[in-house]
Amino acid sequence: MMIKFVCLLVIFVGVSYIGISLSINYSKRERFFNELISFCNVLFNNIKFNKSKLKVVIKENLDNYKTELKDYLQNYLENKEVKISLLTEYENSKVNEFFVSIGKLDSFGELNNIENYKIIFNEFYEDCKLNNKKYGNLYSKLGVIFALILVILFV
């Protein structure tokens, strides 16, 4: 009897965890692009007003970011290429393109480049926000409901 209860509890927690972790991925993607847009704004303002070097801007603002963007920026400073598992192949390629392209043009070209990528990242952010709203809560609720159904079937 006790073993059955423990097994049912493990099934419930495991299946619920899967649904909740899928839900968390949607919110992580949304936060990543929100922070990336914020980084673009900081970079734009620094280039426009302070004319700071890219690595200096990154080092000064690294602690402002909490998502995978912080890891990405740290690896960028160390010249390591990173692929973010949360993002799609296309999103990863655009983020990599952005970081490869910055620091290669004059200040006017850099500002235009940042603005162009900011538009792309804003589209990604809006899409992630919509998907998080649509599917984020859905997956966590479905995980719990599916877990309850399995527990009821095995009782």
Side-chain angles (χ1 to χ4, degrees):
M1 184 67 168
M2 185 65 163
I3 293 175
K4 185 176 183 181
F5 176 74
V6 170
C7 289
L8 291 175
L9 184 65
V10 168
I11 289 172
F12 178 78
V13 170
V15 174
S16 295
Y17 176 77
I18 292 170
I20 291 169
S21 64
L22 288 172
S23 172
I24 289 171
N25 281 343
Y26 280 103
S27 59
K28 279 184 178 180
R29 285 173 46 104
E30 181 182 345
R31 277 181 288 179
F32 174 82
F33 282 114
N34 189 25
E35 285 189 352
L36 186 57
I37 292 167
S38 171
F39 174 74
C40 287
N41 290 332
V42 167
L43 194 58
F44 184 89
N45 289 330
N46 266 292
I47 290 172
K48 190 171 187 175
F49 299 113
N50 299 340
K51 308 259 190 258
S52 300
K53 297 281 184 194
L54 176 63
K55 292 192 178 199
V56 172
V57 173
I58 291 174
K59 286 178 184 174
E60 287 175 352
N61 294 289
L62 195 58
D63 291 330
N64 296 340
Y65 306 110
K66 305 287 185 242
T67 62
E68 283 76 11
L69 181 62
K70 184 174 185 174
D71 297 332
Y72 192 93
L73 292 173
Q74 285 174 331
N75 287 320
Y76 178 79
L77 291 174
E78 299 168 4
N79 294 321
K80 295 179 185 174
E81 191 171 320
V82 179
K83 196 171 193 176
I84 301 167
S85 61
L86 291 173
L87 306 181
T88 65
E89 193 70 37
Y90 179 69
E91 291 167 344
N92 263 314
S93 70
K94 285 299 176 186
V95 171
N96 286 331
E97 276 178 28
F98 171 67
F99 281 99
V100 167
S101 72
I102 53 179
K104 303 238 182 336
L105 304 168
D106 63 343
S107 61
F108 182 73
E110 283 295 330
L111 295 175
N112 285 335
N113 185 38
I114 291 168
E115 280 299 312
N116 290 336
Y117 276 100
K118 200 166 99 173
I119 291 169
I120 293 169
F121 297 149
N122 204 25
E123 289 174 9
F124 290 158
Y125 172 70
E126 291 300 323
D127 186 46
C128 289
K129 194 161 86 170
L130 182 67
N131 284 337
N132 187 25
K133 199 180 275 187
K134 208 186 288 185
Y135 301 116
N137 289 332
L138 177 71
Y139 281 127
S140 60
K141 290 175 185 173
L142 281 177
V144 172
I145 290 171
F146 190 64
L148 283 172
I149 290 172
L150 283 177
V151 167
I152 290 170
L153 285 175
F154 288 129
V155 169

